[in-house]
Amino acid sequence: MNKQGNVLDIKQYTGAPIERAHLLRGFNSKKTPIKWIRFFRACVLQRQVAEGQKKKKLKKIWTAFFIYLAISFFSPFLFPPLGVLLFGIPIFLIVAIVINYNTNRRFKNKFSDGFDFFADYFSAFFILIEEDLQPQSKISLQANLKNTISKDNFINEETYDSNTRGFISGKQNYYERVISKGSCFFNDGSLVSFQFTEKVRERIVKKRGSVSGKRKTKYKFKSVYPFTLKMKIPKAKYGLQANFSYDLTQMVEEGDFYVFKTIRKFDTKKERPDQYDPYDESSITAFAVDYFSLEVINLINTCYSCVTPRA
């Protein structure tokens, strides 16, 4: 809805250069929670419009091909001089395939689907912490929307061995991508910093079929998502708990602040085994939005549980 209460026209997002640039490279900015939510939604809508335009273009290409195909087959019977159209079918088909491939590739390179994740998961998280922020406080947020499995995120490679029947060779590649990191100030002067990371293990196994004897290559993935939270809590307003546990959080002192660090590692294979798919490289969406948001809020509460307000 706009300020006059009218429904937003999503066509306005087709020419939004700022959102388009962010879709290409990720983003790094400071905004209030409500502006972040509007930004995420704008980017999602922009991609939806572009996807609709892409589908229309592909539909026109393939419709034209099938019309040409029908005319070519019936032309020798209805209009013998047009029988030469049959020889153009392979050329038209190749042209249609090339246009289809290039159109999908350009769309994939130009638009990322990462904003769906931020619009759902981080919007919910920002809503939960909005009341704890300083008035008109902005959240600094940086995001990387590129694919995790790429040479830029490659960490290391190791060999993999197995005693299974038909096993030939195997290796494991490890990738790590910082999905996002950010910070904000709470009303009490505490600085909250967070970093959300995706770690992927790609297992590549070459096997020989027991029946056919053909060589096959299989790819399996294991993904985990550490969410690291650090809080700098002012000593002037809080005192350290006498018997807080170091099992859940680490603590150091930096000048006038207590600095706490705690981690929540989201692991689909352990926590959502019924939704775990070893052939899918990304699995964070297996966690419900409210589950993700509340688990992150629990990290903040864990840090606060280590201190007590001063009188």
Side-chain angles (χ1 to χ4, degrees):
M1 304 286 286
N2 59 18
K3 291 183 179 180
Q4 287 73 36
N6 300 319
V7 177
L8 289 174
D9 182 3
I10 62 175
K11 292 183 179 179
Q12 65 180 296
Y13 297 112
T14 58
I18 295 178
E19 283 80 4
R20 185 181 299 120
H22 289 322
L23 284 167
L24 285 169
R25 66 173 183 267
F27 53 85
N28 183 5
S29 184
K30 292 182 179 180
K31 303 178 189 294
T32 59
I34 186 64
K35 287 185 177 180
W36 272 122
I37 294 169
R38 289 172 179 170
F39 171 79
F40 296 148
R41 184 56 181 160
C43 293
V44 170
L45 290 176
Q46 182 191 338
R47 193 187 71 252
Q48 289 177 351
V49 171
E51 187 173 22
Q53 293 174 341
K54 181 198 73 171
K55 290 180 178 179
K56 288 182 180 179
K57 180 179 179 180
L58 295 180
K59 184 178 180 180
K60 289 180 180 179
I61 293 296
W62 288 107
T63 299
F65 170 74
F66 286 114
I67 291 175
Y68 183 90
L69 186 66
I71 294 175
S72 299
F73 275 112
F74 286 107
S75 61
F77 307 100
L78 301 178
F79 307 100
L82 296 180
V84 70
L85 292 176
L86 283 169
F87 298 100
I89 293 177
I91 297 176
F92 202 151
L93 177 60
I94 293 173
V95 171
I97 292 174
V98 170
I99 294 176
N100 188 91
Y101 172 79
N102 287 335
T103 301
N104 285 320
R105 185 185 64 176
R106 282 196 297 269
F107 178 83
K108 184 178 180 180
N109 292 336
K110 191 173 184 179
F111 294 97
S112 167
D113 60 358
F115 277 96
D116 286 317
F117 171 77
F118 282 95
D120 293 337
Y121 289 75
F122 272 77
S123 290
F125 172 51
F126 290 166
I127 289 173
L128 289 176
I129 67 173
E130 184 175 8
E131 292 184 358
D132 297 316
L133 301 178
Q134 295 175 352
Q136 296 301 313
S137 179
K138 296 180 179 180
I139 300 174
S140 174
L141 185 64
Q142 179 178 341
N144 177 5
L145 303 180
K146 301 299 182 182
N147 186 20
T148 301
I149 299 183
S150 66
K151 62 180 182 180
D152 295 333
N153 300 318
F154 179 77
I155 301 300
N156 70 290
E157 175 188 317
E158 64 181 31
T159 58
Y160 172 75
D161 194 14
S162 175
N163 294 324
T164 57
R165 186 177 180 181
F167 176 81
I168 299 175
S169 65
K171 66 177 182 178
Q172 296 185 145
N173 295 325
Y174 294 88
Y175 301 87
E176 183 173 328
R177 171 176 67 107
V178 177
I179 299 174
S180 64
K181 57 183 177 181
S183 62
C184 58
F185 282 97
F186 278 180
N187 283 323
D188 59 6
S190 298
L191 173 62
V192 181
S193 302
F194 58 86
Q195 178 171 298
F196 194 38
T197 307
E198 180 178 34
K199 296 183 177 181
V200 179
R201 182 200 67 199
E202 179 189 35
R203 179 176 293 170
I204 306 173
V205 177
K206 294 183 179 180
K207 301 179 68 176
R208 191 180 302 277
S210 57
V211 179
S212 64
K214 295 182 179 180
R215 294 168 63 97
K216 300 179 181 179
T217 302
K218 290 190 175 182
Y219 297 82
K220 289 188 178 182
F221 303 93
K222 174 69 169 64
S223 303
V224 294
Y225 302 86
F227 194 106
T228 304
L229 184 104
K230 291 178 68 175
M231 286 193 68
K232 295 181 69 172
I233 300 178
K235 295 179 180 179
K237 294 186 178 181
Y238 295 89
L240 196 63
Q241 284 275 16
N243 299 314
F244 84 88
S245 173
Y246 282 90
D247 295 336
L248 299 176
T249 182
Q250 304 172 19
M251 192 279 291
V252 296
E253 296 186 38
E254 291 184 3
D256 297 330
F257 294 89
Y258 299 113
V259 182
F260 298 93
K261 178 181 178 182
T262 183
I263 300 175
R264 170 69 167 87
K265 183 182 289 186
F266 294 89
D267 187 341
T268 308
K269 187 175 183 179
K270 291 183 179 179
E271 300 176 64
R272 295 288 190 274
D274 57 324
Q275 300 183 38
Y276 172 67
D277 182 1
Y279 301 102
D280 186 1
E281 66 182 74
S282 181
S283 59
I284 185 59
T285 53
F287 296 92
V289 173
D290 54 352
Y291 180 88
F292 170 85
S293 303
L294 293 176
E295 287 297 309
V296 174
I297 293 297
N298 284 338
L299 296 181
I300 297 175
N301 293 334
T302 297
C303 295
Y304 272 129
S305 68
C306 300
V307 297
T308 54
R310 294 189 184 276

